[in-house]
Amino acid sequence: MFEVKSYIQQKKQVIDTSLEKILTKSQASETLVKAMSYSLMAGGKRIRPILCLAACEAVGGVSEDAVTVACALELIHTYSLIHDDLPAMDDDQLRRGKPTCHVAFDEATAILAGDALLTLAFEVLATIPVEDGDRTARRLQVIRLISRAAGYQGMIQGQMLDIASEGHKLSAGELEAMHRLKTGALIETALTCGGLLGGADERQMSMLKGYAANIGLAFQVADDILNVEGNPELMGKAVGTDLEREKSTYPSILGVQAAREYSTKLVQSALQAIETFDKHADPLRGIASYVIERRR
Amino acid sequence: MFEVKSYIQQKKQVIDTSLEKILTKSQASETLVKAMSYSLMAGGKRIRPILCLAACEAVGGVSEDAVTVACALELIHTYSLIHDDLPAMDDDQLRRGKPTCHVAFDEATAILAGDALLTLAFEVLATIPVEDGDRTARRLQVIRLISRAAGYQGMIQGQMLDIASEGHKLSAGELEAMHRLKTGALIETALTCGGLLGGADERQMSMLKGYAANIGLAFQVADDILNVEGNPELMGKAVGTDLEREKSTYPSILGVQAAREYSTKLVQSALQAIETFDKHADPLRGIASYVIERRR
């Protein structure tokens, strides 16, 4: 029986340690670095980096580069949270149980800390301790994949749609299209980058993508359900906020029960997509169930 | 006699055309792309990309990659202007004769358009039409240089210092340190990337850096002087704003006359740094004088 919780715990530790090293290389006394570190080390779940490492292992890889790439994904995810929380966007006060970056510091610092984390992600990706041709080419490919997923045709476009949708009633199809951009694109890239670094062939890559598309959406549906009936203390942020803002969510469109069934169905599809993988894919399988069973 | 104005005009055309192509590859109807394009094509001087191309030529290079890298530099410069203009930062209403991005669209769109331009810069840098080993390695090195210069130890740190300094009186040394980060780092990188792509040796690279350090600062001193006595119609933005905000500037610390002498001295030092270069460096020489003679 695969112990997914201890797997997640162990990988989270690896990521946290690496992220801390990335930031402490600099002089940590400045306000900017403090704000970056404040949000980066605020106790995130590290889902994206863990998926990246698990995908690398699933195809039989043990690439040391995967940890670096996984950290870059978390830097990008954190920047997007800081900017999404800003007064001009979602205007959130609490994140991971702590005041959001612009509340703890100020708005200008939060904007710049986000900018800096995004830029640092690419610096990290472009820095290779020992250069060799294959590794260099792979890193460039990873930068291409991540910048596309995080950019104006991916995550940022999704955030635009999310903001534009407030107060409007979306159809289930429109909601899905929005989430596929806003969170799905970066989650898919976490898996494809992991696969790429682990040496996946085309068939494996296409299976990883199938897993990713379903798991990304399942993650979002579960998030929506937690916003309705989660425990704010466990989650470290307010619940019921989607309803207040008249956001279209899976529970608001389908009802909570049907939303829960939908998330279960998505997880089954994710598992199906990787069913021909061997036991190296057990972490991916475990994470799939964790995604909808988690309480934060 | 080298015609610097027509050189600048011609290179600006090359950059503008390439930047337009980068954005029209996508569906330009969406608000996000409109906002990105609005700021990107607002008539910027394109100093950074032109310096990049001129540095490439100065060392005898004709790299086709230089135009791509030059465009990425302008994408990053434009993102930084959009974010600097935000209400939480400098709260500027006018830029290049047009309403700033958050005025023409809204604050959320402006934040995201900036994020998207920054991310797009790295997508552009990571995309190579025909892969070969040398080119791939060079691009990765360029990404490393640019991300460092634009990041939390370069441009963004400079913007933090700039914001923190409002209302305080800086010494000439503190002012210089701030500008070396805020504008100097990216300008220096424009020149080192150009040199790298043109095949500069170590000696040439060090000379380009000497030119860059002086020209970056001269550019800033000239900007400060224009903010005191420039023509707002020609410049497309308000003047006298530094004084209103009690910003420390070269004219406010040294007086206008001494600031002008200082900028002339910096240009002379820039020219000296590249005096052993042959006629291929005439564009760099011409641009040095243009920097302090320009009226916008």
Side-chain angles (χ1 to χ4, degrees):
Chain A
M1 186 65 191
F2 182 76
E3 290 283 352
V4 68
K5 276 197 186 153
S6 68
Y7 179 88
I8 288 175
Q9 193 50 45
Q10 183 218 326
K11 294 299 183 194
K12 187 175 178 309
Q13 192 69 52
V14 171
I15 298 296
D16 284 349
T17 308
S18 301
L19 286 173
E20 256 168 13
K21 264 193 213 142
I22 288 170
L23 270 186
T24 48
K25 271 186 197 154
S26 79
Q27 326 84 306
S29 64
E30 292 151 354
T31 313
L32 178 62
V33 179
K34 272 190 194 158
M36 293 164 74
S37 171
Y38 174 84
S39 291
L40 189 62
M41 306 314 290
K45 292 183 288 288
R46 316 299 192 204
I47 289 287
R48 289 156 192 78
I50 293 170
L51 282 171
C52 178
L53 299 181
C56 177
E57 293 174 6
V59 298
V62 283
S63 167
E64 53 183 306
D65 284 350
V67 173
T68 306
V69 173
C71 286
L73 290 164
E74 190 68 11
L75 291 168
I76 289 178
H77 175 58
T78 305
Y79 119 75
S80 77
L81 297 181
I82 295 176
H83 281 193
D84 287 5
D85 286 339
L86 286 169
M89 306 258 223
D90 290 353
D91 196 14
D92 273 316
Q93 310 294 306
L94 214 57
R95 164 78 68 185
R96 295 169 175 170
K98 295 166 71 177
T100 45
C101 191
H102 66 274
V103 173
F105 294 84
D106 58 44
E107 219 179 306
T109 306
I111 294 169
L112 292 172
D115 293 345
L117 287 167
L118 173 57
T119 311
L120 181 57
F122 292 106
E123 183 181 335
V124 165
L125 288 172
T127 306
I128 290 191
V130 187
E131 302 232 3
D132 71 66
D134 284 354
R135 212 170 173 186
T136 308
R138 228 165 28 226
R139 277 295 174 91
L140 205 64
Q141 196 179 345
V142 163
I143 294 174
R144 203 152 54 228
L145 290 170
I146 293 180
S147 57
R148 273 185 205 158
Y152 74 119
Q153 304 186 70
M155 188 175 74
I156 299 177
Q157 176 62 9
Q159 175 67 2
M160 280 294 287
L161 293 177
D162 194 16
I163 290 173
S165 76
E166 275 194 32
H168 299 281
K169 185 110 187 138
L170 297 186
S171 70
E174 288 170 329
L175 188 62
E176 187 168 320
M178 187 263 282
H179 286 310
R180 283 208 186 278
L181 292 167
K182 188 179 167 179
T183 55
L186 198 62
I187 288 178
E188 183 176 322
T189 297
L191 286 146
T192 48
C193 287
L196 180 73
L197 295 167
D201 60 29
E202 251 177 70
R203 209 186 92 268
Q204 289 173 313
M205 205 59 127
S206 131
M207 289 171 182
L208 284 176
K209 281 183 189 170
Y211 172 92
N214 286 291
I215 218 63
L217 206 52
F219 187 83
Q220 192 55 54
V221 179
D223 242 25
D224 283 359
I225 295 171
L226 283 170
N227 195 281
V228 176
E229 45 181 43
N231 178 339
E233 275 180 41
L234 274 180
M235 293 167 61
K237 61 183 176 186
V239 299
T241 52
D242 291 341
L243 197 64
E244 267 171 43
R245 283 186 203 130
E246 300 179 50
K247 276 200 158 183
S248 298
T249 66
Y250 286 98
S252 79
I253 290 176
L254 307 175
V256 172
Q257 188 50 38
R260 193 171 283 121
E261 284 160 18
Y262 185 43
S263 72
T264 307
K265 209 183 122 245
L266 288 165
V267 167
Q268 284 164 352
S269 303
L271 293 173
Q272 249 163 33
I274 55 165
E275 66 185 351
T276 61
F277 280 40
D278 66 12
K279 70 172 172 32
H280 288 104
D282 281 350
L284 281 187
R285 295 188 180 100
I287 295 165
S289 309
Y290 163 79
V291 154
I292 56 168
E293 284 158 17
R294 71 199 159 94
R295 297 177 63 201
R296 56 180 282 254
Chain B
M1 186 66 192
F2 182 74
E3 290 282 352
V4 69
K5 275 196 185 153
S6 69
Y7 179 88
I8 288 175
Q9 193 50 45
Q10 183 219 325
K11 294 298 181 194
K12 187 176 179 307
Q13 191 69 52
V14 171
I15 297 297
D16 284 349
T17 307
S18 301
L19 286 173
E20 256 169 12
K21 264 193 211 142
I22 288 170
L23 271 187
T24 48
K25 269 185 198 154
S26 79
Q27 326 83 306
S29 65
E30 292 150 355
T31 314
L32 179 61
V33 178
K34 271 190 197 158
M36 293 163 74
S37 170
Y38 175 84
S39 292
L40 190 61
M41 306 313 290
K45 292 183 286 289
R46 314 302 192 203
I47 289 286
R48 288 155 192 79
I50 293 170
L51 283 170
C52 178
L53 299 180
C56 178
E57 294 173 5
V59 298
V62 283
S63 166
E64 51 183 308
D65 285 350
V67 173
T68 306
V69 173
C71 286
L73 290 163
E74 190 67 11
L75 290 168
I76 290 178
H77 175 57
T78 305
Y79 119 75
S80 76
L81 297 182
I82 295 176
H83 282 192
D84 287 4
D85 286 340
L86 287 168
M89 306 258 223
D90 289 352
D91 196 15
D92 273 316
Q93 311 294 306
L94 214 57
R95 163 80 66 186
R96 294 168 177 170
K98 295 167 71 177
T100 45
C101 191
H102 66 274
V103 172
F105 294 84
D106 57 43
E107 219 179 307
T109 305
I111 295 169
L112 292 171
D115 293 344
L117 287 167
L118 173 57
T119 311
L120 182 57
F122 292 107
E123 184 182 336
V124 165
L125 288 172
T127 306
I128 290 191
V130 186
E131 302 231 3
D132 71 66
D134 285 354
R135 213 170 171 188
T136 307
R138 229 164 28 225
R139 277 295 175 92
L140 205 64
Q141 195 179 345
V142 162
I143 295 175
R144 203 154 53 228
L145 290 171
I146 292 180
S147 57
R148 272 183 207 160
Y152 73 118
Q153 300 185 40
M155 187 175 73
I156 299 177
Q157 176 62 11
Q159 176 65 4
M160 280 293 287
L161 293 177
D162 193 15
I163 290 172
S165 75
E166 275 194 33
H168 299 280
K169 186 109 188 138
L170 296 185
S171 70
E174 288 169 329
L175 188 62
E176 186 168 320
M178 187 263 282
H179 286 310
R180 284 207 186 279
L181 291 167
K182 188 179 168 180
T183 56
L186 198 62
I187 288 178
E188 182 175 321
T189 297
L191 286 145
T192 49
C193 286
L196 181 74
L197 295 168
D201 59 29
E202 250 177 72
R203 209 187 93 268
Q204 288 173 313
M205 206 59 126
S206 131
M207 289 171 182
L208 284 176
K209 282 182 188 171
Y211 172 92
N214 286 292
I215 217 62
L217 205 52
F219 187 80
Q220 192 55 54
V221 178
D223 243 25
D224 283 358
I225 296 171
L226 283 169
N227 196 282
V228 175
E229 46 181 41
N231 178 338
E233 276 179 41
L234 274 180
M235 291 167 62
K237 61 182 176 185
V239 298
T241 52
D242 290 341
L243 197 64
E244 268 171 43
R245 286 189 201 127
E246 300 179 50
K247 275 199 156 182
S248 298
T249 65
Y250 287 98
S252 80
I253 291 176
L254 308 175
V256 173
Q257 188 50 36
R260 192 170 284 122
E261 284 160 17
Y262 185 43
S263 73
T264 306
K265 207 182 121 244
L266 288 166
V267 167
Q268 283 164 353
S269 303
L271 292 173
Q272 250 164 34
I274 54 166
E275 66 185 352
T276 61
F277 281 39
D278 67 13
K279 70 172 172 33
H280 288 105
D282 280 350
L284 282 187
R285 295 187 180 101
I287 295 166
S289 308
Y290 162 80
V291 153
I292 55 167
E293 282 158 17
R294 71 198 158 93
R295 296 179 63 202
R296 57 180 282 256

